[in-house]
mmCIF file of all heavy atoms in Angstrom:
data_model
loop_
_atom_site.group_PDB
_atom_site.id
_atom_site.type_symbol
_atom_site.label_atom_id
_atom_site.label_comp_id
_atom_site.label_asym_id
_atom_site.label_seq_id
_atom_site.Cartn_x
_atom_site.Cartn_y
_atom_site.Cartn_z
ATOM 1 N N MET A 1 -10.236 16.394 6.393
ATOM 2 C CA MET A 1 -11.264 15.575 5.775
ATOM 3 C C MET A 1 -10.764 14.943 4.449
ATOM 4 O O MET A 1 -10.866 13.714 4.248
ATOM 5 C CB MET A 1 -12.519 16.422 5.436
ATOM 6 C CG MET A 1 -13.661 15.642 4.814
ATOM 7 S SD MET A 1 -15.108 16.665 4.288
ATOM 8 C CE MET A 1 -14.359 17.414 2.813
ATOM 9 N N THR A 2 -10.200 15.737 3.560
ATOM 10 C CA THR A 2 -9.703 15.208 2.313
ATOM 11 C C THR A 2 -8.546 14.199 2.531
ATOM 12 O O THR A 2 -8.471 13.179 1.877
ATOM 13 C CB THR A 2 -9.231 16.313 1.356
ATOM 14 O OG1 THR A 2 -8.185 17.069 1.963
ATOM 15 C CG2 THR A 2 -10.392 17.241 1.009
ATOM 16 N N HIS A 3 -7.695 14.526 3.520
ATOM 17 C CA HIS A 3 -6.603 13.608 3.865
ATOM 18 C C HIS A 3 -7.135 12.260 4.329
ATOM 19 O O HIS A 3 -6.559 11.216 4.068
ATOM 20 C CB HIS A 3 -5.730 14.255 4.940
ATOM 21 C CG HIS A 3 -4.615 13.372 5.440
ATOM 22 N ND1 HIS A 3 -4.671 12.657 6.583
ATOM 23 C CD2 HIS A 3 -3.388 13.120 4.867
ATOM 24 C CE1 HIS A 3 -3.527 11.982 6.749
ATOM 25 N NE2 HIS A 3 -2.773 12.246 5.711
ATOM 26 N N ALA A 4 -8.251 12.310 5.107
ATOM 27 C CA ALA A 4 -8.846 11.048 5.574
ATOM 28 C C ALA A 4 -9.236 10.142 4.363
ATOM 29 O O ALA A 4 -9.042 8.925 4.440
ATOM 30 C CB ALA A 4 -10.042 11.346 6.449
ATOM 31 N N PHE A 5 -9.738 10.797 3.321
ATOM 32 C CA PHE A 5 -10.151 10.034 2.123
ATOM 33 C C PHE A 5 -8.951 9.364 1.429
ATOM 34 O O PHE A 5 -8.891 8.167 1.238
ATOM 35 C CB PHE A 5 -10.889 10.939 1.168
ATOM 36 C CG PHE A 5 -12.182 11.543 1.683
ATOM 37 C CD1 PHE A 5 -12.647 12.749 1.174
ATOM 38 C CD2 PHE A 5 -12.909 10.923 2.664
ATOM 39 C CE1 PHE A 5 -13.789 13.304 1.664
ATOM 40 C CE2 PHE A 5 -14.056 11.476 3.189
ATOM 41 C CZ PHE A 5 -14.500 12.681 2.674
ATOM 42 N N PHE A 6 -7.978 10.230 1.076
ATOM 43 C CA PHE A 6 -6.890 9.656 0.219
ATOM 44 C C PHE A 6 -5.896 8.885 1.048
ATOM 45 O O PHE A 6 -5.225 8.013 0.505
ATOM 46 C CB PHE A 6 -6.278 10.682 -0.647
ATOM 47 C CG PHE A 6 -5.598 11.891 0.012
ATOM 48 C CD1 PHE A 6 -4.348 11.707 0.635
ATOM 49 C CD2 PHE A 6 -6.105 13.135 -0.091
ATOM 50 C CE1 PHE A 6 -3.728 12.785 1.243
ATOM 51 C CE2 PHE A 6 -5.459 14.246 0.541
ATOM 52 C CZ PHE A 6 -4.269 14.057 1.209
ATOM 53 N N LYS A 7 -5.704 9.183 2.320
ATOM 54 C CA LYS A 7 -4.727 8.446 3.103
ATOM 55 C C LYS A 7 -5.281 7.033 3.445
ATOM 56 O O LYS A 7 -4.529 6.049 3.417
ATOM 57 C CB LYS A 7 -4.310 9.205 4.307
ATOM 58 C CG LYS A 7 -3.166 8.570 5.097
ATOM 59 C CD LYS A 7 -1.956 8.210 4.228
ATOM 60 C CE LYS A 7 -1.335 9.408 3.528
ATOM 61 N NZ LYS A 7 -0.651 10.316 4.420
ATOM 62 N N ALA A 8 -6.584 6.936 3.798
ATOM 63 C CA ALA A 8 -7.177 5.635 3.987
ATOM 64 C C ALA A 8 -7.090 4.821 2.725
ATOM 65 O O ALA A 8 -6.784 3.597 2.768
ATOM 66 C CB ALA A 8 -8.636 5.794 4.472
ATOM 67 N N LEU A 9 -7.332 5.466 1.586
ATOM 68 C CA LEU A 9 -7.279 4.796 0.289
ATOM 69 C C LEU A 9 -5.857 4.270 0.041
ATOM 70 O O LEU A 9 -5.690 3.117 -0.383
ATOM 71 C CB LEU A 9 -7.707 5.747 -0.802
ATOM 72 C CG LEU A 9 -7.557 5.263 -2.243
ATOM 73 C CD1 LEU A 9 -8.420 3.996 -2.494
ATOM 74 C CD2 LEU A 9 -7.938 6.358 -3.219
ATOM 75 N N LEU A 10 -4.867 5.077 0.249
ATOM 76 C CA LEU A 10 -3.463 4.672 0.006
ATOM 77 C C LEU A 10 -3.068 3.532 0.893
ATOM 78 O O LEU A 10 -2.403 2.597 0.462
ATOM 79 C CB LEU A 10 -2.533 5.852 0.220
ATOM 80 C CG LEU A 10 -2.543 6.942 -0.861
ATOM 81 C CD1 LEU A 10 -1.778 8.142 -0.444
ATOM 82 C CD2 LEU A 10 -1.898 6.354 -2.141
ATOM 83 N N PHE A 11 -3.448 3.561 2.142
ATOM 84 C CA PHE A 11 -3.064 2.424 3.061
ATOM 85 C C PHE A 11 -3.821 1.164 2.670
ATOM 86 O O PHE A 11 -3.262 0.049 2.803
ATOM 87 C CB PHE A 11 -3.348 2.813 4.496
ATOM 88 C CG PHE A 11 -2.149 3.420 5.224
ATOM 89 C CD1 PHE A 11 -2.151 4.776 5.520
ATOM 90 C CD2 PHE A 11 -1.036 2.678 5.483
ATOM 91 C CE1 PHE A 11 -1.086 5.373 6.126
ATOM 92 C CE2 PHE A 11 0.067 3.235 6.111
ATOM 93 C CZ PHE A 11 0.043 4.586 6.449
ATOM 94 N N MET A 12 -5.099 1.298 2.252
ATOM 95 C CA MET A 12 -5.781 0.100 1.822
ATOM 96 C C MET A 12 -5.154 -0.512 0.604
ATOM 97 O O MET A 12 -4.958 -1.716 0.470
ATOM 98 C CB MET A 12 -7.253 0.478 1.524
ATOM 99 C CG MET A 12 -8.110 0.731 2.711
ATOM 100 S SD MET A 12 -9.801 1.109 2.215
ATOM 101 C CE MET A 12 -10.576 1.465 3.788
ATOM 102 N N ALA A 13 -4.790 0.321 -0.366
ATOM 103 C CA ALA A 13 -4.144 -0.165 -1.569
ATOM 104 C C ALA A 13 -2.767 -0.775 -1.220
ATOM 105 O O ALA A 13 -2.402 -1.809 -1.731
ATOM 106 C CB ALA A 13 -3.981 0.988 -2.579
ATOM 107 N N ALA A 14 -2.036 -0.133 -0.345
ATOM 108 C CA ALA A 14 -0.721 -0.691 0.056
ATOM 109 C C ALA A 14 -0.920 -2.000 0.735
ATOM 110 O O ALA A 14 -0.128 -2.950 0.549
ATOM 111 C CB ALA A 14 -0.014 0.305 0.963
ATOM 112 N N GLY A 15 -1.950 -2.129 1.589
ATOM 113 C CA GLY A 15 -2.192 -3.416 2.247
ATOM 114 C C GLY A 15 -2.557 -4.487 1.288
ATOM 115 O O GLY A 15 -2.094 -5.625 1.456
ATOM 116 N N SER A 16 -3.323 -4.177 0.246
ATOM 117 C CA SER A 16 -3.666 -5.164 -0.768
ATOM 118 C C SER A 16 -2.410 -5.616 -1.522
ATOM 119 O O SER A 16 -2.226 -6.798 -1.800
ATOM 120 C CB SER A 16 -4.683 -4.602 -1.758
ATOM 121 O OG SER A 16 -5.867 -4.227 -1.109
ATOM 122 N N ILE A 17 -1.517 -4.671 -1.808
ATOM 123 C CA ILE A 17 -0.250 -5.010 -2.480
ATOM 124 C C ILE A 17 0.563 -5.939 -1.614
ATOM 125 O O ILE A 17 1.089 -7.002 -2.052
ATOM 126 C CB ILE A 17 0.554 -3.754 -2.823
ATOM 127 C CG1 ILE A 17 -0.213 -2.879 -3.861
ATOM 128 C CG2 ILE A 17 1.941 -4.108 -3.315
ATOM 129 C CD1 ILE A 17 0.353 -1.496 -4.036
ATOM 130 N N ILE A 18 0.674 -5.600 -0.334
ATOM 131 C CA ILE A 18 1.534 -6.370 0.579
ATOM 132 C C ILE A 18 0.987 -7.803 0.736
ATOM 133 O O ILE A 18 1.766 -8.765 0.726
ATOM 134 C CB ILE A 18 1.573 -5.661 1.962
ATOM 135 C CG1 ILE A 18 2.363 -4.363 1.880
ATOM 136 C CG2 ILE A 18 2.223 -6.577 3.002
ATOM 137 C CD1 ILE A 18 2.245 -3.464 3.056
ATOM 138 N N LEU A 19 -0.345 -7.928 0.840
ATOM 139 C CA LEU A 19 -0.906 -9.265 0.953
ATOM 140 C C LEU A 19 -0.623 -10.115 -0.275
ATOM 141 O O LEU A 19 -0.351 -11.328 -0.148
ATOM 142 C CB LEU A 19 -2.440 -9.137 1.139
ATOM 143 C CG LEU A 19 -2.941 -8.972 2.556
ATOM 144 C CD1 LEU A 19 -4.489 -8.969 2.543
ATOM 145 C CD2 LEU A 19 -2.445 -10.073 3.506
ATOM 146 N N ARG A 20 -0.684 -9.510 -1.436
ATOM 147 C CA ARG A 20 -0.605 -10.306 -2.692
ATOM 148 C C ARG A 20 0.823 -10.487 -3.194
ATOM 149 O O ARG A 20 1.004 -11.199 -4.174
ATOM 150 C CB ARG A 20 -1.447 -9.589 -3.749
ATOM 151 C CG ARG A 20 -2.976 -9.670 -3.407
ATOM 152 C CD ARG A 20 -3.824 -8.992 -4.436
ATOM 153 N NE ARG A 20 -3.701 -9.554 -5.739
ATOM 154 C CZ ARG A 20 -4.332 -9.126 -6.844
ATOM 155 N NH1 ARG A 20 -5.142 -8.038 -6.712
ATOM 156 N NH2 ARG A 20 -4.169 -9.701 -7.979
ATOM 157 N N VAL A 21 1.799 -9.844 -2.577
ATOM 158 C CA VAL A 21 3.194 -10.104 -2.976
ATOM 159 C C VAL A 21 3.945 -10.725 -1.781
ATOM 160 O O VAL A 21 5.137 -10.431 -1.557
ATOM 161 C CB VAL A 21 3.904 -8.785 -3.411
ATOM 162 C CG1 VAL A 21 3.250 -8.286 -4.683
ATOM 163 C CG2 VAL A 21 3.884 -7.712 -2.347
ATOM 164 N N HIS A 22 3.229 -11.597 -1.060
ATOM 165 C CA HIS A 22 3.860 -12.401 -0.043
ATOM 166 C C HIS A 22 4.433 -11.556 1.113
ATOM 167 O O HIS A 22 5.529 -11.809 1.587
ATOM 168 C CB HIS A 22 4.978 -13.328 -0.636
ATOM 169 C CG HIS A 22 4.546 -14.014 -1.889
ATOM 170 N ND1 HIS A 22 3.730 -15.140 -1.864
ATOM 171 C CD2 HIS A 22 4.800 -13.783 -3.193
ATOM 172 C CE1 HIS A 22 3.496 -15.541 -3.102
ATOM 173 N NE2 HIS A 22 4.118 -14.751 -3.925
ATOM 174 N N HIS A 23 3.672 -10.522 1.503
ATOM 175 C CA HIS A 23 4.024 -9.713 2.633
ATOM 176 C C HIS A 23 5.356 -8.951 2.406
ATOM 177 O O HIS A 23 6.022 -8.621 3.397
ATOM 178 C CB HIS A 23 4.043 -10.493 3.909
ATOM 179 C CG HIS A 23 2.721 -11.059 4.283
ATOM 180 N ND1 HIS A 23 1.700 -10.282 4.900
ATOM 181 C CD2 HIS A 23 2.161 -12.261 4.040
ATOM 182 C CE1 HIS A 23 0.619 -11.073 5.069
ATOM 183 N NE2 HIS A 23 0.872 -12.243 4.562
ATOM 184 N N GLU A 24 5.681 -8.677 1.209
ATOM 185 C CA GLU A 24 6.863 -7.868 0.883
ATOM 186 C C GLU A 24 6.486 -6.404 0.953
ATOM 187 O O GLU A 24 5.453 -5.984 0.439
ATOM 188 C CB GLU A 24 7.415 -8.210 -0.495
ATOM 189 C CG GLU A 24 8.610 -7.430 -0.917
ATOM 190 C CD GLU A 24 9.752 -7.598 0.073
ATOM 191 O OE1 GLU A 24 10.261 -8.731 0.140
ATOM 192 O OE2 GLU A 24 10.179 -6.585 0.695
ATOM 193 N N GLN A 25 7.331 -5.570 1.671
ATOM 194 C CA GLN A 25 7.046 -4.157 1.777
ATOM 195 C C GLN A 25 8.093 -3.252 1.112
ATOM 196 O O GLN A 25 7.892 -2.066 1.064
ATOM 197 C CB GLN A 25 6.917 -3.773 3.253
ATOM 198 C CG GLN A 25 5.697 -4.455 3.923
ATOM 199 C CD GLN A 25 5.471 -4.034 5.378
ATOM 200 O OE1 GLN A 25 4.800 -4.750 6.118
ATOM 201 N NE2 GLN A 25 5.990 -2.888 5.768
ATOM 202 N N ASN A 26 9.183 -3.826 0.625
ATOM 203 C CA ASN A 26 10.224 -3.086 -0.037
ATOM 204 C C ASN A 26 9.805 -2.759 -1.480
ATOM 205 O O ASN A 26 9.594 -3.690 -2.268
ATOM 206 C CB ASN A 26 11.514 -3.869 -0.046
ATOM 207 C CG ASN A 26 12.695 -3.018 -0.478
ATOM 208 O OD1 ASN A 26 12.570 -2.133 -1.362
ATOM 209 N ND2 ASN A 26 13.839 -3.321 0.047
ATOM 210 N N ILE A 27 9.684 -1.508 -1.801
ATOM 211 C CA ILE A 27 9.138 -1.134 -3.097
ATOM 212 C C ILE A 27 10.083 -1.594 -4.202
ATOM 213 O O ILE A 27 9.622 -1.817 -5.335
ATOM 214 C CB ILE A 27 8.887 0.391 -3.198
ATOM 215 C CG1 ILE A 27 10.141 1.191 -2.951
ATOM 216 C CG2 ILE A 27 7.787 0.808 -2.267
ATOM 217 C CD1 ILE A 27 9.969 2.684 -3.170
ATOM 218 N N PHE A 28 11.384 -1.672 -3.970
ATOM 219 C CA PHE A 28 12.338 -2.078 -4.943
ATOM 220 C C PHE A 28 12.296 -3.597 -5.228
ATOM 221 O O PHE A 28 12.950 -4.050 -6.133
ATOM 222 C CB PHE A 28 13.730 -1.648 -4.587
ATOM 223 C CG PHE A 28 13.942 -0.164 -4.729
ATOM 224 C CD1 PHE A 28 13.829 0.646 -3.603
ATOM 225 C CD2 PHE A 28 14.225 0.441 -5.913
ATOM 226 C CE1 PHE A 28 14.015 2.012 -3.716
ATOM 227 C CE2 PHE A 28 14.413 1.789 -6.047
ATOM 228 C CZ PHE A 28 14.302 2.584 -4.950
ATOM 229 N N LYS A 29 11.543 -4.330 -4.430
ATOM 230 C CA LYS A 29 11.302 -5.733 -4.727
ATOM 231 C C LYS A 29 9.992 -6.045 -5.311
ATOM 232 O O LYS A 29 9.517 -7.186 -5.348
ATOM 233 C CB LYS A 29 11.520 -6.543 -3.391
ATOM 234 C CG LYS A 29 12.908 -6.524 -2.854
ATOM 235 C CD LYS A 29 13.069 -7.341 -1.607
ATOM 236 C CE LYS A 29 14.502 -7.282 -1.049
ATOM 237 N NZ LYS A 29 14.694 -8.087 0.181
ATOM 238 N N MET A 30 9.291 -4.969 -5.769
ATOM 239 C CA MET A 30 7.991 -5.127 -6.411
ATOM 240 C C MET A 30 8.192 -4.875 -7.895
ATOM 241 O O MET A 30 9.002 -5.524 -8.552
ATOM 242 C CB MET A 30 6.995 -4.158 -5.811
ATOM 243 C CG MET A 30 6.751 -4.409 -4.300
ATOM 244 S SD MET A 30 5.580 -3.214 -3.604
ATOM 245 C CE MET A 30 5.713 -3.693 -1.846
ATOM 246 N N GLY A 31 7.505 -3.929 -8.487
ATOM 247 C CA GLY A 31 7.670 -3.600 -9.907
ATOM 248 C C GLY A 31 6.678 -4.296 -10.808
ATOM 249 O O GLY A 31 6.376 -5.507 -10.630
ATOM 250 N N GLY A 32 6.208 -3.601 -11.809
ATOM 251 C CA GLY A 32 5.346 -4.192 -12.861
ATOM 252 C C GLY A 32 3.980 -4.619 -12.376
ATOM 253 O O GLY A 32 3.346 -5.427 -13.071
#
């Protein structure tokens, strides 16, 4: 149950990041 909460949250946040940084998924090409 707790994993469902925080893992769904993490994937949603990661998806928002990917959308807003031009579909980049490499963490070393993000930053700041």
Side-chain angles (χ1 to χ4, degrees):
M1 181 187 74
T2 60
H3 177 261
F5 299 153
F6 62 72
K7 187 52 60 69
L9 175 61
L10 284 169
F11 269 109
M12 287 182 183
S16 298
I17 294 169
I18 292 167
L19 273 184
R20 293 179 60 182
V21 295
H22 313 284
H23 296 279
E24 179 59 63
Q25 295 183 202
N26 189 328
I27 59 174
F28 287 97
K29 294 182 180 179
M30 299 177 187

